[in-house]
Amino acid sequence: MIDVVLNEAQRRAVEYREGPLLVLAGAGSGKTRVLTARIAHLIIAHGVRPERILATTFTNKAAGEMRRRVGGLLNRDPTGLWIGTFHSLCARLLRREARHLGFTPQFTIYDEDDRLALIKRLLERGGYAQRAFPPRQLQSIISGAKNRLTTPEELGAAAEDRFTRVAAEIYHEMDRALLQANAMDFDDLLLHPLALFREHPDRLEYYQQRFDSILVDEFQDTNRAQYLLIRHLGQKHRDVCGVGDDDQSIYSWRGADIRNMLDFKQDFPETEVVLLEENYRSTQVILDAANAVIAENQIRLGKTLYTSRAGGDPVVTVSAADERDEAEWAAREFRERTATDHHGYGDMAVLYRTNAQSRAFEEAFRRASVPYRVVGAVSFYERREVRDLVAYLRLVVNPADDQAFLRAVQVPKRGIGVATLRTLQDAALQWSHPLLATAAIADRISELRPLAKQALQDFAALIERLRGLLPDAPPAAILERIIELTEYEAHLQQEGFEGLERMENVRELIAAAAEWSEEMPGEEAESLLEQFLQTTALMSSDEKTAGDEEGVTIMTVHTAKGLEWPVVLVAGMEDGLFPLSRATETPEGLEEERRLAYVALTRAQDRAYLSWARQRRRGGQLMPGMPSRFLRALPPEDVEERRTSGMFGGEAFRRPAEPWIDEATASQDTPRYVKGEHVYHRKFGAGVIRALAGQGRGLKVTVEFDDAEVGSKQLMVEYAGLERSWEGA
């Protein structure tokens, strides 16, 4: 047996081998331990070969951690084990089977930007104005249709308005364009295996025989396509283990369907269900709060978390004046915690419902010299110079990739403008050729100027020269050759200091490619470059960070799922923000928001704070705030209520007579201002506060406005409608 400590429920989940298994794993109950131990147990105790095990999860980070842990239990690398995200595993399968679907194994994976650019091209080709048919809205409709397994024809037939009919048309044209470009988007990576199994039953039978055991992490987050893939592959051996938590199903907006957990029991009626309810993360006080919140949901399979960590610090609710006051309070509190507790800033996190909330915390933490890092920031692979060079790499691997061509051919500038490219695209469409192949015979396009013809043919020759490096050269060597042949460094140097910084990113890309080659030898792809490009294309946003690695983590609750910290602040707990207004329009939407609150609370190990603001700037407007309805569910005996001293002058907090109906004093409704603060008035413009007088609703400020003709004015704060000027803060 494997050498790992398990409780009774965990051990049953690890050792059960009598058929399908559904493990309902509560937050912090050790699901990763169970998954990795089950994989190792299959190999050690039952002699299942690693290459006959398929394990899926939702992030590259989680997949890497699972592989590392399995290797630790086996005391060797689990070579051959199929473990990774759904998208990466499907890409791996499709590299092998691409020719059955009309693609080559060198197909390109289009990210959201590539797909958006393609939609814009198709709109232009169809004569549709982007103002009337916004590409992002079309992209959302098309992606939603794909997640529901709806074809372009079905989408068009069900359309009740012109916008949806145009979306169906673009969807149809996009499928054709992707096939011609030998490319797939993220949705296609899930849909094409289903098409393969439908059109080639022998390939389905092969993979059903290939995998003896299937394990699915985060089962509650699967969409319909992912669930059908698992159902198809598991029908033969029926050794399918789904591990998930219906109370943490928070991704319906990207197609996740909580009903998959219910359907699993119908499709595999002999399923055994194991509950993991013992939490190893949080104090009992935090769990009591989380259990109370989620108990109000009606659609759930049901479980109650408990822990051996009895008691704990109370859950703290904090009312602030506005988002700036909220963030400044957080900075002070975190500084105090580092001074009085054993926690460092890296042990703390601020979680919020929307990305827009991060700015106030970033600014407050900078002013207070509190180190922080933002997760979900601009990815390294999304930077302009990196995307430029990756476009070259994509074109080297896949000469049919028109999106990569359009980016690479214009960087560095080589005398190929918009008019030239439009003429080239028309010719390519007429001849049914990819753009690169058309560029190679640009001398046959009579509409082009001689210099443009030569530039296009020179570019095509350059790519062909680089293709000569395949398949032996590692990605780093090909990158260096691209930079040399295109004089890319000289191109960046023309941008001055910013160009020098961008060149540092280029060098980092080369270093990353070299490091990748050392750690990840190619298995499935025909060249290392193909697999490197697949790795970069499948980088997920929740693995992108910016800032101080030892600082306070700042991120959305969605991104925080699966993570934990000793100290957690959940900010913006106001109705209309958390839960979001639009989510409260349906019972299903409200229940998902409540699950999101449950996820947020269960990220905390030792201390949990929940803050809300009495007013908050949203969409340029200063809006009044009311405490979130989720706060009402908190057990009163486990809650400590605070309000920021800056706003309330240190008065004792008074709990409202009616739950969460505020009977605060007049001064509590007045924003806090200080001398020297920059403000904005809708009529008089920007200015600086020079003096304050009075208090509460009688508070007056003297503002010296930037406009000399306006000068200084004394204003009643209650009626002035002042806004803080962030530019001057």
Side-chain angles (χ1 to χ4, degrees):
M1 179 58 189
I2 55 174
D3 183 20
V4 60
V5 177
L6 301 168
N7 64 34
E8 184 178 345
Q10 290 173 333
R11 185 167 298 281
R12 176 154 179 76
V14 167
E15 298 180 356
Y16 186 80
R17 194 80 198 289
E18 299 170 23
L21 176 66
L22 183 59
V23 181
L24 296 183
S29 62
K31 73 173 180 63
T32 303
R33 173 184 291 246
V34 166
L35 276 166
T36 53
R38 183 173 173 85
I39 293 171
H41 182 72
L42 288 169
I43 296 170
I44 295 173
H46 296 283
V48 180
R49 298 201 306 273
E51 63 269 20
R52 298 187 66 83
I53 298 174
L54 175 72
T56 71
T57 186
F58 275 83
T59 69
N60 296 305
K61 184 177 180 180
E65 175 65 12
M66 285 175 62
R67 177 179 287 275
R68 186 189 66 77
R69 288 202 195 184
V70 171
L73 293 174
L74 297 176
N75 291 317
R76 59 182 170 86
D77 185 69
T79 304
L81 177 66
W82 281 54
I83 185 169
T85 65
F86 272 99
H87 289 89
S88 65
L89 292 173
C90 285
R92 182 175 178 180
L93 181 151
L94 288 168
R95 296 285 179 202
R96 296 179 165 199
E97 309 292 344
R99 298 191 190 282
H100 289 291
L101 297 169
F103 297 87
T104 78
Q106 293 77 32
F107 64 82
T108 297
I109 299 173
Y110 275 17
D111 63 17
E112 292 302 298
D113 287 341
D114 295 321
R115 182 161 65 174
L116 195 63
L118 176 57
I119 289 173
K120 291 176 180 177
R121 282 173 51 206
L122 295 175
L123 282 171
E124 182 179 356
R125 183 186 300 175
Y128 297 112
Q130 291 187 26
R131 180 172 296 180
F133 301 96
R136 289 192 184 278
Q137 287 182 239
L138 292 173
Q139 180 172 248
S140 178
I141 291 175
I142 294 169
S143 183
K146 287 188 173 186
N147 280 327
R148 297 190 303 273
L149 308 182
T150 302
T151 66
E153 294 73 23
E154 291 168 340
L155 180 64
E160 297 180 353
D161 56 76
R162 185 165 182 253
F163 196 94
T164 306
R165 285 193 292 273
V166 171
E169 180 184 333
I170 296 298
Y171 179 5
H172 177 72
E173 292 299 319
M174 189 169 77
D175 279 353
R176 292 176 54 185
L178 286 167
L179 182 60
Q180 182 176 335
N182 194 32
M184 303 180 190
D185 65 21
F186 273 28
D187 296 325
D188 292 334
L189 293 178
L190 303 178
L191 297 184
H192 285 324
L194 292 175
L196 174 75
F197 296 157
R198 183 174 60 251
E199 297 167 10
H200 301 275
D202 60 312
R203 304 316 298 153
L204 172 59
E205 184 177 358
Y206 168 80
Y207 285 103
Q208 286 177 333
Q209 293 283 1
R210 168 69 188 266
F211 298 115
D212 291 331
S213 298
I214 299 172
L215 300 94
V216 185
D217 188 14
E218 305 288 7
F219 194 71
Q220 76 283 346
D221 292 336
T222 54
N223 63 25
R224 199 62 191 164
Q226 290 161 337
Y227 176 71
L228 289 178
L229 284 169
I230 295 303
R231 191 181 74 179
H232 284 321
L233 293 173
Q235 285 295 335
K236 181 71 176 178
H237 297 292
R238 302 184 79 77
D239 183 5
V240 183
C241 173
V243 180
D245 183 1
D246 55 317
D247 289 334
Q248 296 188 71
S249 179
I250 58 175
Y251 292 111
S252 66
W253 48 273
R254 69 180 188 193
D257 193 343
I258 193 173
R259 291 174 300 179
N260 289 340
M261 299 187 80
L262 303 176
D263 289 348
F264 183 79
K265 296 175 69 175
Q266 294 179 353
D267 293 330
F268 298 90
E270 70 274 36
T271 294
E272 177 78 2
V273 178
V274 174
L275 296 180
L276 301 185
E277 297 178 292
E278 184 172 1
N279 176 282
Y280 293 93
R281 174 186 300 154
S282 309
T283 65
Q284 190 62 52
V285 166
I286 293 173
L287 294 183
D288 287 345
N291 287 332
V293 169
I294 200 63
E296 295 189 356
N297 269 9
Q298 300 299 311
I299 305 174
R300 59 190 298 256
L301 298 172
K303 62 186 169 307
T304 302
L305 296 181
Y306 67 91
T307 180
S308 60
R309 297 184 64 192
D313 292 318
V315 173
V316 176
T317 61
V318 183
S319 57
D322 55 21
E323 71 272 20
R324 183 173 181 178
D325 188 37
E326 177 186 47
E328 290 172 347
W329 174 87
R332 292 193 301 271
E333 180 69 15
F334 285 176
R335 290 183 70 172
E336 183 176 339
R337 292 276 67 81
T338 61
T340 59
D341 296 351
H342 62 281
H343 299 309
Y345 288 119
D347 296 327
M348 304 174 184
V350 176
L351 310 181
Y352 37 73
R353 182 62 184 84
T354 65
N355 276 304
Q357 293 169 253
S358 72
R359 184 178 69 168
F361 287 97
E362 292 184 63
E363 292 180 350
F365 286 3
R366 279 199 299 268
R367 285 194 296 266
S369 298
V370 171
Y372 67 90
R373 66 179 189 135
V374 181
V375 178
V378 175
S379 164
F380 174 78
Y381 289 98
E382 290 175 0
R383 291 169 180 164
R384 188 190 79 197
E385 59 278 12
V386 174
R387 290 183 69 89
D388 287 345
L389 294 172
V390 168
Y392 275 93
L393 295 178
R394 283 170 44 179
L395 201 54
V396 167
V397 166
N398 176 17
D401 188 341
D402 286 352
Q403 284 304 129
F405 175 92
L406 288 170
R407 185 173 193 112
V409 77
Q410 298 182 79
V411 182
K413 294 186 183 302
R414 45 178 56 90
I416 299 173
V418 174
T420 297
L421 288 176
R422 186 172 290 114
T423 302
L424 181 73
Q425 288 174 287
D426 290 342
L429 186 63
Q430 179 183 346
W431 297 340
S432 297
H433 286 348
L435 292 176
L436 182 64
T438 308
I441 53 174
D443 56 330
R444 303 182 192 175
I445 306 175
S446 58
E447 295 88 346
L448 289 177
R449 295 176 293 104
L451 288 177
K453 292 179 182 180
Q454 188 62 52
L456 288 169
Q457 290 186 298
D458 288 348
F459 178 76
L462 168 66
I463 299 301
E464 188 60 32
R465 186 176 177 184
L466 291 168
R467 282 180 56 77
L469 299 175
L470 293 175
D472 299 325
I478 299 176
L479 277 169
E480 290 174 335
R481 191 68 172 139
I482 290 170
I483 293 165
E484 175 191 347
L485 293 177
T486 62
E487 299 182 347
Y488 191 79
E489 184 169 4
H491 159 70
L492 289 181
Q493 286 175 346
Q494 294 175 4
E495 299 182 20
F497 180 74
E498 183 180 346
L500 296 176
E501 289 188 335
R502 292 189 184 279
M503 193 58 208
E504 287 302 312
N505 291 332
V506 169
R507 294 190 181 95
E508 180 62 25
L509 175 63
I510 296 171
E515 182 179 340
W516 178 90
S517 296
E518 293 171 1
E519 297 180 357
M520 296 287 290
E523 294 180 0
E524 303 295 332
E526 295 182 5
S527 72
L528 282 174
L529 181 55
E530 292 171 40
Q531 198 168 349
F532 174 69
L533 286 173
Q534 179 170 305
T535 300
T536 61
L538 295 176
M539 283 285 292
S540 55
S541 61
D542 57 353
E543 296 165 40
K544 305 163 187 173
T545 65
D548 191 329
E549 287 297 319
E550 299 301 318
V552 178
T553 299
I554 303 176
M555 62 167 64
T556 64
V557 180
H558 278 101
T559 307
K561 185 169 168 292
L563 304 177
E564 60 186 45
W565 298 268
V567 180
V568 172
L569 164 64
V570 187
M573 293 296 293
E574 298 131 43
D575 262 7
L577 182 57
F578 201 172
L580 288 175
S581 297
R582 64 175 180 270
T584 61
E585 296 173 359
T586 64
E588 297 79 11
L590 181 57
E591 291 216 348
E592 178 152 334
E593 291 289 301
R594 191 174 284 113
R595 292 194 292 268
L596 196 58
Y598 171 83
V599 167
L601 268 169
T602 53
R603 300 311 94 199
Q605 297 170 322
D606 304 326
R607 287 178 177 267
Y609 300 92
L610 304 169
S611 63
W612 64 279
R614 294 176 181 271
Q615 55 184 1
R616 185 179 298 273
R617 288 162 187 79
R618 301 184 65 187
Q621 298 289 322
L622 199 58
M623 306 293 290
M626 287 294 292
S628 170
R629 66 192 70 187
F630 299 153
L631 298 179
R632 302 176 198 155
L634 299 175
E637 65 275 14
D638 291 334
V639 174
E640 174 189 335
E641 296 165 328
R642 298 186 196 172
R643 53 188 178 184
T644 58
S645 59
M647 178 177 177
F648 301 112
E651 299 174 15
F653 182 85
R654 294 195 301 274
R655 188 180 181 90
E658 294 296 325
W660 305 103
I661 300 176
D662 206 312
E663 299 293 340
T665 63
S667 63
Q668 293 174 347
D669 293 323
T670 307
R672 177 174 58 89
Y673 292 103
V674 295
K675 286 202 300 184
E677 186 167 11
H678 292 254
V679 294
Y680 182 83
H681 188 278
R682 59 183 177 273
K683 180 178 179 182
F684 304 133
V688 178
I689 293 177
R690 296 304 185 193
L692 300 96
Q695 60 183 350
R697 288 183 173 167
L699 179 64
K700 299 177 182 178
V701 291
T702 300
V703 181
E704 181 182 337
F705 289 99
D706 295 349
D707 188 337
E709 294 185 6
V710 176
S712 295
K713 291 189 178 292
Q714 190 177 68
L715 305 170
M716 291 285 291
V717 169
E718 184 178 6
Y719 305 110
L722 292 175
E723 295 182 18
R724 288 192 171 93
S725 174
W726 294 104
E727 290 75 21

PDB file of all heavy atoms in Angstrom, residues 446-464:
ATOM      1  N   SER A 446      -1.488  40.956 -60.124  1.00  0.00           N
ATOM      2  CA  SER A 446      -1.221  42.139 -60.946  1.00  0.00           C
ATOM      3  C   SER A 446      -1.539  43.442 -60.227  1.00  0.00           C
ATOM      4  O   SER A 446      -0.948  44.489 -60.536  1.00  0.00           O
ATOM      5  CB  SER A 446      -2.032  42.051 -62.247  1.00  0.00           C
ATOM      6  OG  SER A 446      -3.426  41.950 -61.956  1.00  0.00           O
ATOM      7  N   GLU A 447      -2.462  43.414 -59.247  1.00  0.00           N
ATOM      8  CA  GLU A 447      -2.873  44.650 -58.570  1.00  0.00           C
ATOM      9  C   GLU A 447      -1.801  45.179 -57.622  1.00  0.00           C
ATOM     10  O   GLU A 447      -1.871  46.332 -57.173  1.00  0.00           O
ATOM     11  CB  GLU A 447      -4.162  44.419 -57.772  1.00  0.00           C
ATOM     12  CG  GLU A 447      -5.380  44.081 -58.626  1.00  0.00           C
ATOM     13  CD  GLU A 447      -5.500  42.594 -58.880  1.00  0.00           C
ATOM     14  OE1 GLU A 447      -4.505  41.856 -58.623  1.00  0.00           O
ATOM     15  OE2 GLU A 447      -6.579  42.156 -59.324  1.00  0.00           O
ATOM     16  N   LEU A 448      -0.826  44.382 -57.288  1.00  0.00           N
ATOM     17  CA  LEU A 448       0.200  44.792 -56.329  1.00  0.00           C
ATOM     18  C   LEU A 448       1.325  45.571 -56.998  1.00  0.00           C
ATOM     19  O   LEU A 448       1.694  45.303 -58.152  1.00  0.00           O
ATOM     20  CB  LEU A 448       0.795  43.566 -55.626  1.00  0.00           C
ATOM     21  CG  LEU A 448      -0.104  42.831 -54.629  1.00  0.00           C
ATOM     22  CD1 LEU A 448       0.620  41.598 -54.087  1.00  0.00           C
ATOM     23  CD2 LEU A 448      -0.510  43.748 -53.478  1.00  0.00           C
ATOM     24  N   ARG A 449       1.889  46.530 -56.244  1.00  0.00           N
ATOM     25  CA  ARG A 449       3.058  47.272 -56.710  1.00  0.00           C
ATOM     26  C   ARG A 449       4.284  46.343 -56.707  1.00  0.00           C
ATOM     27  O   ARG A 449       4.356  45.405 -55.888  1.00  0.00           O
ATOM     28  CB  ARG A 449       3.336  48.463 -55.799  1.00  0.00           C
ATOM     29  CG  ARG A 449       2.249  49.528 -55.801  1.00  0.00           C
ATOM     30  CD  ARG A 449       2.558  50.638 -54.794  1.00  0.00           C
ATOM     31  NE  ARG A 449       2.500  50.159 -53.410  1.00  0.00           N
ATOM     32  CZ  ARG A 449       3.556  49.911 -52.667  1.00  0.00           C
ATOM     33  NH1 ARG A 449       4.788  50.101 -53.148  1.00  0.00           N
ATOM     34  NH2 ARG A 449       3.413  49.492 -51.419  1.00  0.00           N
ATOM     35  N   PRO A 450       5.265  46.592 -57.562  1.00  0.00           N
ATOM     36  CA  PRO A 450       6.453  45.727 -57.605  1.00  0.00           C
ATOM     37  C   PRO A 450       7.148  45.592 -56.245  1.00  0.00           C
ATOM     38  O   PRO A 450       7.579  44.500 -55.874  1.00  0.00           O
ATOM     39  CB  PRO A 450       7.350  46.428 -58.630  1.00  0.00           C
ATOM     40  CG  PRO A 450       6.387  47.134 -59.535  1.00  0.00           C
ATOM     41  CD  PRO A 450       5.275  47.598 -58.642  1.00  0.00           C
ATOM     42  N   LEU A 451       7.278  46.712 -55.515  1.00  0.00           N
ATOM     43  CA  LEU A 451       7.948  46.648 -54.214  1.00  0.00           C
ATOM     44  C   LEU A 451       7.166  45.785 -53.226  1.00  0.00           C
ATOM     45  O   LEU A 451       7.752  45.051 -52.420  1.00  0.00           O
ATOM     46  CB  LEU A 451       8.131  48.059 -53.646  1.00  0.00           C
ATOM     47  CG  LEU A 451       9.191  48.924 -54.333  1.00  0.00           C
ATOM     48  CD1 LEU A 451       9.222  50.326 -53.712  1.00  0.00           C
ATOM     49  CD2 LEU A 451      10.570  48.274 -54.221  1.00  0.00           C
ATOM     50  N   ALA A 452       5.829  45.862 -53.264  1.00  0.00           N
ATOM     51  CA  ALA A 452       4.997  45.055 -52.372  1.00  0.00           C
ATOM     52  C   ALA A 452       5.124  43.579 -52.721  1.00  0.00           C
ATOM     53  O   ALA A 452       5.205  42.713 -51.827  1.00  0.00           O
ATOM     54  CB  ALA A 452       3.539  45.503 -52.455  1.00  0.00           C
ATOM     55  N   LYS A 453       5.153  43.276 -54.029  1.00  0.00           N
ATOM     56  CA  LYS A 453       5.321  41.885 -54.455  1.00  0.00           C
ATOM     57  C   LYS A 453       6.627  41.315 -53.907  1.00  0.00           C
ATOM     58  O   LYS A 453       6.664  40.205 -53.364  1.00  0.00           O
ATOM     59  CB  LYS A 453       5.320  41.806 -55.983  1.00  0.00           C
ATOM     60  CG  LYS A 453       3.999  42.121 -56.648  1.00  0.00           C
ATOM     61  CD  LYS A 453       4.144  42.030 -58.165  1.00  0.00           C
ATOM     62  CE  LYS A 453       2.841  42.390 -58.870  1.00  0.00           C
ATOM     63  NZ  LYS A 453       2.968  42.300 -60.344  1.00  0.00           N
ATOM     64  N   GLN A 454       7.703  42.123 -54.038  1.00  0.00           N
ATOM     65  CA  GLN A 454       9.013  41.651 -53.588  1.00  0.00           C
ATOM     66  C   GLN A 454       9.046  41.458 -52.078  1.00  0.00           C
ATOM     67  O   GLN A 454       9.597  40.469 -51.575  1.00  0.00           O
ATOM     68  CB  GLN A 454      10.092  42.650 -54.019  1.00  0.00           C
ATOM     69  CG  GLN A 454      11.518  42.150 -53.775  1.00  0.00           C
ATOM     70  CD  GLN A 454      11.819  40.896 -54.569  1.00  0.00           C
ATOM     71  OE1 GLN A 454      11.612  40.842 -55.771  1.00  0.00           O
ATOM     72  NE2 GLN A 454      12.286  39.858 -53.881  1.00  0.00           N
ATOM     73  N   ALA A 455       8.426  42.396 -51.350  1.00  0.00           N
ATOM     74  CA  ALA A 455       8.416  42.304 -49.882  1.00  0.00           C
ATOM     75  C   ALA A 455       7.681  41.051 -49.425  1.00  0.00           C
ATOM     76  O   ALA A 455       8.118  40.353 -48.491  1.00  0.00           O
ATOM     77  CB  ALA A 455       7.771  43.552 -49.288  1.00  0.00           C
ATOM     78  N   LEU A 456       6.556  40.747 -50.042  1.00  0.00           N
ATOM     79  CA  LEU A 456       5.785  39.561 -49.674  1.00  0.00           C
ATOM     80  C   LEU A 456       6.556  38.281 -49.985  1.00  0.00           C
ATOM     81  O   LEU A 456       6.594  37.341 -49.176  1.00  0.00           O
ATOM     82  CB  LEU A 456       4.441  39.555 -50.404  1.00  0.00           C
ATOM     83  CG  LEU A 456       3.409  40.575 -49.910  1.00  0.00           C
ATOM     84  CD1 LEU A 456       2.239  40.672 -50.874  1.00  0.00           C
ATOM     85  CD2 LEU A 456       2.902  40.195 -48.507  1.00  0.00           C
ATOM     86  N   GLN A 457       7.188  38.241 -51.137  1.00  0.00           N
ATOM     87  CA  GLN A 457       7.940  37.040 -51.497  1.00  0.00           C
ATOM     88  C   GLN A 457       9.178  36.873 -50.618  1.00  0.00           C
ATOM     89  O   GLN A 457       9.546  35.750 -50.263  1.00  0.00           O
ATOM     90  CB  GLN A 457       8.321  37.087 -52.982  1.00  0.00           C
ATOM     91  CG  GLN A 457       7.113  36.909 -53.899  1.00  0.00           C
ATOM     92  CD  GLN A 457       7.486  36.813 -55.362  1.00  0.00           C
ATOM     93  OE1 GLN A 457       8.041  37.759 -55.936  1.00  0.00           O
ATOM     94  NE2 GLN A 457       7.189  35.683 -55.981  1.00  0.00           N
ATOM     95  N   ASP A 458       9.810  37.978 -50.234  1.00  0.00           N
ATOM     96  CA  ASP A 458      10.955  37.907 -49.319  1.00  0.00           C
ATOM     97  C   ASP A 458      10.521  37.358 -47.966  1.00  0.00           C
ATOM     98  O   ASP A 458      11.234  36.561 -47.343  1.00  0.00           O
ATOM     99  CB  ASP A 458      11.582  39.289 -49.145  1.00  0.00           C
ATOM    100  CG  ASP A 458      12.349  39.748 -50.377  1.00  0.00           C
ATOM    101  OD1 ASP A 458      12.583  38.907 -51.269  1.00  0.00           O
ATOM    102  OD2 ASP A 458      12.687  40.949 -50.451  1.00  0.00           O
ATOM    103  N   PHE A 459       9.347  37.797 -47.516  1.00  0.00           N
ATOM    104  CA  PHE A 459       8.848  37.308 -46.227  1.00  0.00           C
ATOM    105  C   PHE A 459       8.558  35.809 -46.312  1.00  0.00           C
ATOM    106  O   PHE A 459       8.916  35.046 -45.394  1.00  0.00           O
ATOM    107  CB  PHE A 459       7.587  38.060 -45.822  1.00  0.00           C
ATOM    108  CG  PHE A 459       6.988  37.578 -44.528  1.00  0.00           C
ATOM    109  CD1 PHE A 459       7.561  37.915 -43.318  1.00  0.00           C
ATOM    110  CD2 PHE A 459       5.859  36.767 -44.530  1.00  0.00           C
ATOM    111  CE1 PHE A 459       7.021  37.459 -42.111  1.00  0.00           C
ATOM    112  CE2 PHE A 459       5.314  36.308 -43.337  1.00  0.00           C
ATOM    113  CZ  PHE A 459       5.896  36.654 -42.128  1.00  0.00           C
ATOM    114  N   ALA A 460       7.920  35.375 -47.398  1.00  0.00           N
ATOM    115  CA  ALA A 460       7.634  33.946 -47.561  1.00  0.00           C
ATOM    116  C   ALA A 460       8.926  33.134 -47.594  1.00  0.00           C
ATOM    117  O   ALA A 460       9.007  32.042 -47.006  1.00  0.00           O
ATOM    118  CB  ALA A 460       6.823  33.720 -48.833  1.00  0.00           C
ATOM    119  N   ALA A 461       9.951  33.670 -48.229  1.00  0.00           N
ATOM    120  CA  ALA A 461      11.243  32.981 -48.286  1.00  0.00           C
ATOM    121  C   ALA A 461      11.882  32.908 -46.904  1.00  0.00           C
ATOM    122  O   ALA A 461      12.526  31.901 -46.554  1.00  0.00           O
ATOM    123  CB  ALA A 461      12.168  33.698 -49.270  1.00  0.00           C
ATOM    124  N   LEU A 462      11.703  33.973 -46.112  1.00  0.00           N
ATOM    125  CA  LEU A 462      12.236  33.984 -44.748  1.00  0.00           C
ATOM    126  C   LEU A 462      11.606  32.869 -43.913  1.00  0.00           C
ATOM    127  O   LEU A 462      12.311  32.127 -43.205  1.00  0.00           O
ATOM    128  CB  LEU A 462      11.954  35.347 -44.102  1.00  0.00           C
ATOM    129  CG  LEU A 462      12.171  35.447 -42.591  1.00  0.00           C
ATOM    130  CD1 LEU A 462      13.645  35.266 -42.253  1.00  0.00           C
ATOM    131  CD2 LEU A 462      11.667  36.778 -42.052  1.00  0.00           C
ATOM    132  N   ILE A 463      10.298  32.735 -43.990  1.00  0.00           N
ATOM    133  CA  ILE A 463       9.613  31.690 -43.215  1.00  0.00           C
ATOM    134  C   ILE A 463      10.055  30.307 -43.686  1.00  0.00           C
ATOM    135  O   ILE A 463      10.280  29.401 -42.873  1.00  0.00           O
ATOM    136  CB  ILE A 463       8.078  31.844 -43.332  1.00  0.00           C
ATOM    137  CG1 ILE A 463       7.635  33.194 -42.770  1.00  0.00           C
ATOM    138  CG2 ILE A 463       7.377  30.704 -42.604  1.00  0.00           C
ATOM    139  CD1 ILE A 463       7.998  33.442 -41.321  1.00  0.00           C
ATOM    140  N   GLU A 464      10.199  30.138 -44.993  1.00  0.00           N
ATOM    141  CA  GLU A 464      10.642  28.842 -45.517  1.00  0.00           C
ATOM    142  C   GLU A 464      12.057  28.523 -45.017  1.00  0.00           C
ATOM    143  O   GLU A 464      12.373  27.361 -44.704  1.00  0.00           O
ATOM    144  CB  GLU A 464      10.614  28.868 -47.043  1.00  0.00           C
ATOM    145  CG  GLU A 464      10.873  27.511 -47.686  1.00  0.00           C
ATOM    146  CD  GLU A 464       9.857  26.460 -47.277  1.00  0.00           C
ATOM    147  OE1 GLU A 464       8.676  26.816 -47.035  1.00  0.00           O
ATOM    148  OE2 GLU A 464      10.248  25.266 -47.185  1.00  0.00           O
TER     149      GLU A 464
END
